[in-house]
């Protein structure tokens, strides 16, 4: 659409846009007007409203500062250039060993005799496979057994001559199975025999001993198939993996101070009202490590010392708790700072929550993981447990389960923080030792506090006498 023109001057009116007309752009005399020109140079954005002596400087880095015990820690986290963005995007695409929902990101490949090994433990295989395959195996096990025994019944009856016209016309002839005239009747009799269904028409006779043997075999095999399939379905429904779906892990982990120590914390919760008996938390860090001999361990696992808020190993799991890992000399994070967490570190923390379900008495296990981009330095979880006076009960607000807030936290590593506190303690002890040494030297010279006071009084300068004071002093002396 062409731009709106001013009737007086013929120029485009302000606010209008000059666009080529699609019908006129096909004309040869118009193509030159609409041919693309050279690409314009990218414009540099400058904020409006700045004074003339103030120049806009693009963002070149992020400086974080935190004060602890009167000392300010300041770290500069480099500029957000393309290199850092690429590193952060690569971190987001990093493959996990354990997904957030607890599934393992591991595929077994190049196994010899794989199918034979799976069939050797058929019950566990049926429990582990997906539901659609379990239902398929469940249905085929019955259909194939019905069909197999139907063929065997039909062969026995054919060998006995039950389907011969002259035998069927003879009233004195006794078949192996009454009221079976073809293969369809054999299939229906196979189903009735295996599931003990009696309709009152088809029945076995004593004329065929092999038929009696087949009846016993089919009854035993049918019972075994039912027991196996029922146990598989029950185990699949009641397996602990489904019970773990109600155990929750926080989306992020946090690092903050608690009782003067840097701590790594994450939150766990149980959606059910029934508690988890004997609950315990475990954690492992998976990262690359090079040994002293030069061997590279791609997935080195180190156990983390985890515990709830009170620091005990067992968890009284009646409401959501914060699981704490104290970063001390034994921690793999002892020399890690906030800058290292953002730029250098590559690891994965796998956390495991185990316990016994109170309602079913079955042991369950829930898993999750955290990578460096999911750890928030200088944050703390918000309280989510409140007491309601109107109901007289404690209420857990799961809408704040993943909520955190910022707190003052040193950006240095725990090792640097301990070294700083050690220097502070040594400085304070040095000042105290100097005062004690001064008092000891004074005592060794034979002075006590009263001697020092008298010495100070003797050495104190006397005020100068007035001209008439000497005459008065001489008269008092004569007297």
């Amino acid at each position: 659409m062409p731009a709106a023109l001013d009737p007086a001057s013929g120029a485009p009116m302000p606010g209008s846009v000059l666009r080529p007309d699609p019908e006129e752009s096909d004309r040869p005399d118009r193509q030159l007007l609409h041919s693309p020109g050279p690409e314009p140079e990218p414009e540099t954005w400058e904020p409006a409203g700045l004074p003339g002596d103030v120049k806009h400087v693009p963002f070149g880095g992020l400086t974080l500062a935190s004060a602890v015990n009167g000392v300010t820690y300041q770290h500069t986290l480099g500029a957000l250039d393309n290199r850092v963005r690429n590193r952060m995007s690569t971190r987001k695409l990093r493959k996990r060993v354990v997904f957030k929902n607890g599934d393992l990101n591991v595929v077994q490949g190049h196994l010899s005799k794989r199918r034979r090994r799976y069939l050797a433990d058929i019950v566990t295989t049926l429990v582990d496979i997906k539901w659609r395959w379990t239902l398929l195996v469940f249905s085929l096990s019955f259909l194939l057994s019905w069909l197999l025994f139907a063929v065997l019944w039909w062969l026995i009856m054919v060998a006995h001559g039950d389907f011969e016209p002259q035998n069927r016309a003879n009233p004195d002839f006794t078949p192996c199975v009454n009221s079976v005239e073809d293969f369809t009747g054999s299939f229906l009799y196979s189903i009735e025999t295996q599931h003990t269904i009696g309709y009152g028409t088809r029945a076995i006779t004593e004329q065929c001993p092999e038929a009696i043997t087949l009846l016993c075999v089919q009854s035993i095999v049918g019972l075994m198939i039912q027991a196996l399939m029922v146990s598989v379905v029950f185990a699949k429904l009641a397996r602990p993996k489904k019970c773990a779906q109600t155990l929750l892990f926080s989306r992020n982990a946090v690092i903050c101070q608690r009782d003067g120590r840097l701590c790594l914390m994450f939150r766990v919760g149980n959606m059910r009202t029934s508690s988890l008996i004997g609950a315990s938390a475990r954690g492992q860090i998976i990262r690359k490590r090079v040994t002293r001999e030069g061997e590279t361990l791609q997935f080195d696992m180190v156990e983390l010392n985890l515990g709830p808020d009170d620091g005990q190993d067992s968890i009284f799991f009646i409401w959501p708790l914060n699981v704490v890992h104290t970063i001390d000399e034994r921690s793999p994070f002892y020399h890690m700072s906030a800058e290292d967490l953002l730029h250098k570190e590559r690891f994965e923390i796998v956390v495991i929550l185990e316990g016994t379900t109170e309602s079913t008495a079955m042991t369950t296990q829930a898993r999750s993981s955290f990578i460096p981009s999911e750890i928030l330095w200088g944050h703390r979880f918000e309280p989510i447990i409140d007491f309601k006076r109107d109901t007289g009960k404690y209420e857990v607000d799961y809408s704040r389960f993943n909520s955190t807030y910022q707190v003052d936290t040193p950006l240095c590593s725990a090792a640097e923080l301990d070294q700083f506190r050690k220097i502070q303690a040594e400085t304070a002890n040095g000042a105290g030792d100097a005062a004690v040494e001064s008092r000891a030297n004074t005592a060794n010279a034979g002075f006590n506090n009263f001697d020092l006071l008298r010495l100070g009084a003797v050495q104190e300068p006397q005020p100068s006498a007035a001209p008439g004071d000497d005459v008065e002093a001489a008269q008092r002396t004569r007297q």
Side-chain angles (χ1 to χ4, degrees):
M1 178 184 295
L5 301 179
D6 190 358
S9 61
M13 297 181 62
S16 62
V17 180
L18 183 60
R19 298 177 181 174
D21 191 357
E23 297 181 358
E24 296 182 356
S25 59
D26 297 335
R27 296 173 52 183
D29 57 341
R30 298 289 185 179
Q31 292 179 0
L32 182 61
L33 297 178
H34 305 311
S35 61
E39 296 183 358
E41 298 181 358
E43 298 181 357
T44 303
W45 178 81
E46 292 288 344
L50 293 178
D53 55 347
V54 177
K55 183 180 180 181
H56 170 67
V57 179
F59 176 77
L62 178 61
T63 301
L64 302 179
S66 178
V68 178
N69 297 331
V71 179
T72 302
Y73 299 90
Q74 182 169 336
H75 287 248
T76 301
L77 309 180
L80 296 178
D81 52 4
N82 294 330
R83 178 174 54 85
V84 176
R85 292 192 182 96
N86 293 336
R87 185 184 297 117
M88 296 177 66
S89 62
T90 303
R91 180 180 301 177
K92 292 180 181 179
L93 297 177
R94 182 181 183 274
K95 298 300 182 181
R96 296 173 178 268
V97 178
V98 179
F99 292 112
K100 297 295 287 185
N101 59 357
D103 294 337
L104 299 179
N105 189 20
V106 180
V107 178
Q108 309 292 344
H110 303 288
L111 290 175
S112 61
K113 302 179 182 180
R114 180 177 181 177
R115 296 182 180 179
R116 184 183 303 178
R117 296 175 186 272
Y118 280 138
L119 291 177
D121 189 9
I122 185 64
V123 176
T124 306
T125 302
L126 292 176
V127 173
D128 288 340
I129 61 178
K130 296 183 180 297
W131 268 107
R132 53 177 176 267
W133 299 112
T134 302
L135 295 178
L136 179 62
V137 173
F138 183 88
S139 303
L140 288 179
S141 62
F142 287 103
L143 289 175
L144 293 179
S145 63
W146 297 338
L147 183 61
L148 173 63
F149 284 101
V151 172
L152 295 178
W153 283 112
W154 183 76
L155 291 177
I156 291 175
M157 286 183 281
V158 169
H160 189 257
D162 293 353
F163 299 138
E164 297 294 335
Q166 61 273 18
N167 293 333
R168 297 179 60 182
N170 186 3
D172 297 331
F173 179 78
T174 303
C176 292
V177 180
N178 294 325
S179 302
V180 176
E181 299 180 358
D182 51 11
F183 182 77
T184 303
S186 300
F187 183 77
L188 294 176
Y189 180 72
S190 175
I191 298 176
E192 296 174 9
T193 301
Q194 185 166 332
H195 297 284
T196 63
I197 301 175
Y199 292 111
T201 56
R202 300 180 184 88
I204 191 173
T205 63
E206 65 277 2
Q207 294 295 324
C208 302
E210 60 274 13
I212 298 175
T213 304
L214 183 61
L215 176 66
C216 298
V217 172
Q218 186 175 6
S219 299
I220 295 174
V221 172
L223 184 61
M224 293 177 61
I225 293 176
Q226 292 182 11
L228 177 63
M229 291 295 102
V230 169
S231 63
V232 168
V233 172
F234 176 78
K236 201 172 183 65
L237 289 173
R239 58 181 174 172
K241 183 178 180 180
K242 298 302 179 183
C243 299
Q245 300 297 324
T246 56
L247 299 178
L248 305 178
F249 291 89
S250 59
R251 187 182 303 112
N252 298 98
V254 299
I255 293 180
C256 61
Q257 278 192 309
R258 174 171 287 187
D259 296 331
R261 307 285 298 188
L262 287 177
C263 296
L264 171 70
M265 292 181 285
F266 60 92
R267 178 173 281 174
V268 293
N270 185 12
M271 294 175 55
R272 297 188 181 275
T273 55
S274 59
S275 61
L276 200 64
I277 303 174
S280 61
R282 296 174 45 237
Q284 288 188 345
I285 177 173
I286 304 175
R287 62 180 177 180
K288 182 179 178 181
R289 185 175 70 89
V290 180
T291 63
R292 296 179 181 178
E293 295 77 14
E295 180 186 3
T296 302
L297 304 178
Q298 293 291 340
F299 303 98
D300 182 49
M301 297 185 182
V302 179
E303 191 76 17
L304 295 178
N305 185 18
L306 297 180
D309 293 327
D310 54 2
Q312 301 295 327
D313 294 335
S314 60
I315 301 176
F316 185 48
F317 208 5
I318 58 175
W319 48 44
L321 296 173
N322 295 337
V323 181
V324 182
H325 166 69
T326 303
I327 303 178
D328 52 11
E329 295 82 358
R330 298 172 296 175
S331 173
F333 307 119
Y334 188 59
H335 298 280
M336 183 187 68
S337 63
E339 186 175 2
D340 296 336
L341 179 65
L342 182 62
H343 294 288
K344 299 179 182 179
E345 293 294 335
R346 295 291 184 272
F347 59 84
E348 180 177 353
I349 301 175
V350 179
V351 293
I352 303 171
L353 182 63
E354 296 177 337
T356 302
T357 307
E358 186 179 19
S359 55
T360 61
M362 297 181 63
T363 302
T364 183
Q365 183 185 92
R367 298 183 297 263
S368 186
S369 65
F370 301 97
I371 56 178
S373 60
E374 297 171 346
I375 300 177
L376 305 178
W377 192 290
H379 283 246
R380 186 175 295 162
F381 286 106
E382 291 186 1
I384 60 175
I385 303 174
D386 299 320
F387 181 76
K388 299 297 182 181
R389 295 184 179 274
D390 53 348
T391 60
K393 295 182 179 180
Y394 290 93
E395 181 180 359
V396 180
D397 185 7
Y398 276 97
S399 63
R400 296 180 291 170
F401 185 78
N402 297 306
S403 301
T404 62
Y405 62 95
Q406 294 184 357
V407 293
D408 290 336
T409 305
L411 301 179
C412 61
S413 64
E416 296 172 346
L417 185 60
D418 290 346
Q419 185 178 5
F420 168 75
R421 289 173 176 171
K422 183 178 180 181
I423 294 174
Q424 272 191 332
E426 291 178 354
T427 303
N429 293 335
D433 294 341
V436 172
E437 183 178 0
S438 176
R439 288 194 296 269
N441 294 335
T442 304
N444 293 333
F447 294 100
N448 54 25
N449 293 335
F450 297 100
D451 295 334
L452 293 177
L453 290 175
R454 285 197 298 270
L455 181 61
V458 171
Q459 295 178 354
E460 183 178 356
Q462 298 296 332
S464 58
D469 294 341
D470 295 340
V471 178
E472 296 177 359
Q475 292 178 357
R476 287 196 300 268
T477 303
R478 294 189 192 99
Q479 294 175 359

